[in-house]
Amino acid sequence: MVSKNKTQIKNEIQSLLHETFGYKTFRGEQEEIISSVIEGLDTFVLMPTGAGKSLCFQIPALYLEGTAIVVSPLISLMSNQVNALKQNGVKAEFINSSLDYNEYREIEEAALAGELDLLYITPEGFQGGRVRNLIDDIDLSFFAIDEAHCVSNWGHDFRDDYLLLGQIKKSYPDLPIIALTATADFRVREDIVKSLKLSSPKVFISSFERKNITYKIEAKNSVQKQIDQVLALHKNECGIIYCQTRKKVDELSKSLKKKGHTVIAYHAGLTPEARNKAQSRFERKDNIIVVATIAFGMGIDKPNVRFVCHNGLPKNIESYYQETGRAGRDGEPSFAYMFYGMDDFIVSKGFIDRSEMNENYKKISLEKLHSMLELCEMNICRNKYVLNYFGEEAGDQCGHCDICNQEVKSFDVTVYAQKALSAIYHLNSRFGANHIIDVLLGSKNQKLEKFGHHRLSVYGLGKDLSKQDWNVIIRGLLLNDYINYSNPEYRTLGLTAKAREILKGESTFSITKKLGQTKKKKSVSIQVSDEDYDTELFSVLKEKRYAMAKDKGVPPFVIFSDKTLKDLSVKKPKSHDEFLDVYGIGKSKCEKYADTFLSLIGEHSA
Ligand code: ADP
Ligand code: ZN
């Protein structure tokens, strides 16, 4: 091959993006990642869900000569990706256990004839045998390892077969490998590089912020009404509502069905067949809501889930991030709601206390649960809190959460903070939260008397708040670095230099939880911005898409994404050229669908 200069490569991959995929610009570091693979470098990509990892290997596969082998763990993900590629006119196939003998042979022949740009396989392919022989016999361009965290024991998703992928470097030392994952954990990252034997890989790490998701967290008041409000904002859209228990799943799904919503109930108590059926119904149908326990979600790849709603407190930030992350995989505006209450906290704490875990593990689980509550109660940008929790730096304002959008009332509790700080000061940083709170509440606890703490000036100074409220204040002070653990082992609390700002009244301190709250809090209004598109036309196009998908036996999004339908309802193209200008429409989709959709749009606009 004649070597090309960087500008030529740049132009060519740009036109592949436009003509094949129908997109105008690369997102984030996609372009650099694609160039890295094209240059023949091992490449490691860490990007959150929905950020666009697939294009990072699909475009090099089109650009380079030979077939790219894509390793992917789940048959359903694989077949969706391959179907979507075929819609774009890309020569891609997959090999897995779902194929019959003839299908398998045809694909084998196409691969041997060098006709494929991409061949998707499962990791078992490297066990030897037919798939392995095939790979050895075709001209390859590179290997892409999707969901690469599956090689790691540290990950949540370890798969034995992924360990076989260590062979790739040995057998094909000259071909680059691109490994992609959305799992941020540092140890997982190290494992991936080691197990796949990547040689000085070029590493691309994106922020974990899911920019297209708007986060909203509210205390529960009348949760049924709060959920109704969410559903009213998301008419004719897909969503997942997570409940803590099977019982709640059953109750809520029944009541929503009665109200006329299309609902699937899902929990671990269903038979495997019923679960599979529910999953595939969810994947294939538009406008459907799943009410589920957290058993639901693994392997769900539906891109147009527009909202995830937690009816109750998730058990930790990791789960919260993962579960809310099932919204908006297509990168479109999506929402994550949570309604939490102290009762959830108590239920989860009960689970932990009664579980078989060892004491240390229980302690960690409980701390994680506390962090979850902290996220709800602190007046801190939700994204900042979550990103910091995962060790990522973040600005003070993300601009897409209820705190940043000033939808959450906050309460100035500086006076209480001063009381707590002054108690800690008087206790010489030698006592933990419980003792400090006992002093503030004026408890008759013998331990207090033993230390003479009932004689302190701060004794009984905080009787107007409950123990729980004082816990909120103290956690808030910890989180904002006004206090820290003076002795981490005993969890004794001491003041930091910053505490002075509050004690002197130079800084104020506020939280989102209303203290001493007896009356029910009014629900904070939730607003979804109304985009400017013809919603009627959108529904018409959606129906057509559904009918076509059904005919072809593929999920609707394989034909067009929601964003494409929206863009069609805004631009209302009249010609093939105008059709090509729509988001997500490349040459191939234009040829396949322009006539059908142009005439629908014409009829509607007439
Ligand atoms: P990930 O694998 O990172 O979860 P995907 O590769 O599935 O994400 O991409 C998410 C969505 O974003 C897909 O619908 C994809 O077609 C779309 N997408 C990816 N890159 C771009 C881009 N540069 N411009 C517009 N849409 C894009
Ligand atoms: Zn924010």
Side-chain angles (χ1 to χ4, degrees):
M1 197 170 58
V2 189
S3 72
K4 295 179 188 162
N5 67 33
K6 288 206 166 166
T7 325
Q8 275 172 320
I9 297 179
K10 219 174 136 121
N11 290 340
E12 269 185 57
I13 64 177
Q14 176 66 44
S15 66
L16 283 171
L17 177 74
H18 194 173
E19 285 172 16
T20 306
F21 296 94
Y23 302 141
K24 295 219 160 83
T25 50
F26 285 109
R27 276 190 196 156
E29 292 185 299
Q30 279 177 332
E31 191 174 4
E32 291 77 14
I33 297 167
I34 290 166
S35 306
S36 166
V37 179
I38 289 179
E39 282 166 35
L41 304 173
D42 281 348
T43 306
F44 177 87
V45 176
L46 178 67
M47 248 190 216
T49 308
K53 283 186 283 297
S54 320
L55 277 193
C56 297
F57 56 83
Q58 289 168 347
I59 290 189
L62 292 176
Y63 180 95
L64 295 168
E65 279 173 31
T67 305
I69 302 293
V70 182
V71 181
S72 173
L74 292 171
I75 295 179
S76 66
L77 302 192
M78 213 182 249
S79 86
N80 283 345
Q81 270 209 20
V82 167
N83 281 331
L85 283 168
K86 285 183 176 169
Q87 291 299 314
N88 282 327
V90 175
K91 288 170 280 175
E93 294 291 352
F94 63 80
I95 296 183
N96 60 38
S97 53
S98 72
L99 297 179
D100 67 29
Y101 180 80
N102 281 331
E103 287 169 326
Y104 197 115
R105 232 196 40 206
E106 271 173 34
I107 292 169
E108 226 170 26
E109 275 166 15
L112 288 169
E115 284 167 10
L116 300 182
D117 286 318
L118 295 115
L119 180 62
Y120 283 67
I121 62 170
T122 52
E124 299 93 89
F126 287 92
Q127 265 164 1
R130 194 160 165 186
V131 180
R132 181 62 209 257
N133 292 340
L134 177 65
I135 296 172
D136 286 340
D137 284 345
I138 51 188
D139 277 334
L140 302 177
S141 49
F142 65 92
F143 288 87
I145 317 297
D146 209 0
E147 315 286 348
H149 58 274
C150 296
V151 297
S152 171
N153 270 316
W154 287 108
H156 48 85
D157 222 7
F158 174 65
R159 282 161 201 264
D160 278 335
D161 284 330
Y162 258 68
L163 292 178
L164 297 167
L165 304 181
Q167 297 170 24
I168 295 178
K169 255 299 141 181
K170 281 193 212 143
S171 308
Y172 307 95
D174 298 332
L175 291 181
I177 296 179
I178 172 172
L180 309 103
T181 178
T183 303
D185 188 308
F186 183 72
R187 284 172 299 199
V188 174
R189 258 189 259 167
E190 281 195 326
D191 268 2
I192 293 173
V193 172
K194 225 168 43 205
S195 309
L196 296 177
K197 304 183 173 58
L198 302 186
S199 74
S200 335
K202 232 175 148 164
V203 175
F204 295 90
I205 295 178
S206 314
S207 163
F208 263 65
E209 183 172 350
R210 295 286 311 273
K211 289 209 172 73
N212 60 321
I213 301 181
T214 301
Y215 297 85
K216 292 168 189 269
I217 301 178
E218 263 180 45
K220 276 192 221 168
N221 46 54
S222 152
V223 79
Q224 184 74 57
K225 272 201 199 126
Q226 288 167 301
I227 290 172
D228 285 346
Q229 210 180 354
V230 166
L231 295 182
L233 290 166
H234 294 281
K235 274 191 201 125
N236 301 328
E237 293 181 343
C238 282
I240 305 173
I241 303 177
Y242 283 112
C243 300
Q244 278 182 316
T245 59
R246 289 180 197 179
K247 193 163 154 258
K248 282 195 181 162
V249 167
D250 287 334
E251 285 168 4
L252 183 64
S253 58
K254 269 195 205 121
S255 85
L256 294 181
K257 268 182 204 159
K258 266 198 203 139
K259 289 179 187 164
H261 297 287
T262 314
V263 177
I264 304 176
Y266 187 102
H267 52 65
L270 302 176
T271 62
E273 296 82 59
R275 284 206 257 172
N276 279 339
K277 214 174 126 201
Q279 280 212 5
S280 73
R281 201 168 149 229
F282 181 69
E283 291 250 350
R284 275 165 195 271
K285 205 166 152 34
D286 285 330
N287 318 341
I288 197 160
I289 297 157
V290 178
V291 179
T293 60
I294 55 168
F296 183 79
M298 273 293 176
I300 291 288
D301 191 33
K302 188 167 177 127
N304 59 340
V305 175
R306 288 279 75 88
F307 69 94
V308 168
C309 175
H310 279 97
N311 174 18
L313 195 71
K315 65 177 195 280
N316 52 41
I317 304 276
E318 286 88 343
S319 314
Y320 175 69
Y321 182 83
Q322 197 181 38
E323 285 148 22
T324 53
R326 296 192 174 120
R329 298 194 60 141
D330 55 5
E332 286 299 285
S334 307
F335 291 78
Y337 305 95
M338 189 211 306
F339 304 116
Y340 75 101
M342 243 6 234
D343 53 331
D344 306 322
F345 180 80
I346 291 162
V347 170
S348 298
K349 188 167 177 300
F351 276 143
I352 297 172
D353 289 340
R354 287 192 307 274
S355 76
E356 311 265 286
M357 302 185 273
N358 70 41
E359 286 310 311
N360 192 35
Y361 204 78
K362 280 187 186 176
K363 213 172 110 198
I364 294 172
S365 305
L366 204 57
E367 272 170 29
K368 290 189 166 189
L369 183 62
H370 273 289
S371 299
M372 199 54 234
L373 197 58
E374 215 160 69
L375 169 70
C376 301
E377 291 174 343
M378 292 304 132
N379 195 15
I380 295 177
C381 163
R382 313 287 191 197
N383 270 295
K384 182 183 170 66
Y385 186 97
V386 171
L387 294 175
N388 287 350
Y389 179 92
F390 290 125
E392 186 181 322
E393 300 271 329
D396 287 339
Q397 296 233 313
C398 72
H400 53 102
C401 77
D402 49 359
I403 301 268
C404 292
N405 297 339
Q406 302 194 323
E407 289 169 16
V408 177
K409 253 205 185 142
S410 66
F411 302 93
D412 187 329
V413 290
T414 312
V415 175
Y416 292 115
Q418 286 169 335
K419 287 181 185 177
L421 293 173
S422 130
I424 293 168
Y425 173 78
H426 283 292
L427 293 170
N428 295 324
S429 310
R430 285 179 35 230
F431 294 86
N434 284 331
H435 193 89
I436 296 163
I437 293 172
D438 277 348
V439 170
L440 286 162
L441 291 175
S443 149
K444 298 267 181 289
N445 188 332
Q446 284 201 336
K447 193 173 158 207
L448 257 64
E449 298 200 0
K450 190 175 119 203
F451 286 106
H453 290 161
H454 58 301
R455 286 193 294 271
L456 290 173
S457 58
V458 285
Y459 180 76
L461 208 60
K463 278 186 181 158
D464 52 332
L465 293 189
S466 66
K467 186 169 180 172
Q468 271 165 9
D469 285 345
W470 279 116
N471 264 314
V472 172
I473 304 263
I474 288 177
R475 278 203 306 274
L477 290 170
L478 256 174
L479 194 68
N480 287 281
D481 296 325
Y482 291 112
I483 56 179
N484 58 16
Y485 289 116
S486 44
N487 181 335
E489 195 183 335
Y490 295 104
R491 299 283 182 132
T492 56
L493 293 167
L495 304 185
T496 65
K498 214 176 143 192
R500 209 177 304 152
E501 296 170 14
I502 290 195
L503 284 166
K504 282 190 170 173
E506 290 165 0
S507 292
T508 57
F509 183 67
S510 63
I511 55 177
T512 62
K513 185 175 191 288
K514 188 167 184 190
L515 299 180
Q517 174 181 331
T518 43
K519 273 184 277 160
K520 278 182 179 167
K521 194 167 142 193
K522 257 201 156 169
S523 138
V524 184
S525 76
I526 304 165
Q527 279 174 358
V528 182
S529 70
D530 224 1
E531 287 160 79
D532 227 358
Y533 65 94
D534 184 335
T535 47
E536 246 174 64
L537 176 57
F538 180 69
S539 315
V540 172
L541 300 178
K542 217 165 159 184
E543 259 169 49
K544 185 78 207 170
R545 174 181 70 173
Y546 183 66
M548 292 176 107
K550 221 172 155 191
D551 266 2
K552 289 180 192 269
V554 297
F557 57 80
V558 162
I559 298 186
F560 284 140
S561 69
D562 281 9
K563 185 159 179 182
T564 298
L565 294 188
K566 270 189 195 162
D567 208 27
L568 280 170
S569 332
V570 174
K571 293 188 175 136
K572 303 186 182 173
K574 293 191 191 65
S575 64
H576 279 224
D577 272 351
E578 286 176 14
F579 200 74
L580 267 173
D581 195 41
V582 169
Y583 175 93
I585 294 181
K587 278 185 184 157
S588 162
K589 284 192 181 171
C590 183
E591 272 166 33
K592 287 196 187 83
Y593 304 119
D595 293 337
T596 312
F597 280 82
L598 285 176
S599 70
L600 256 182
I601 293 168
E603 277 167 34
H604 180 85
S605 315

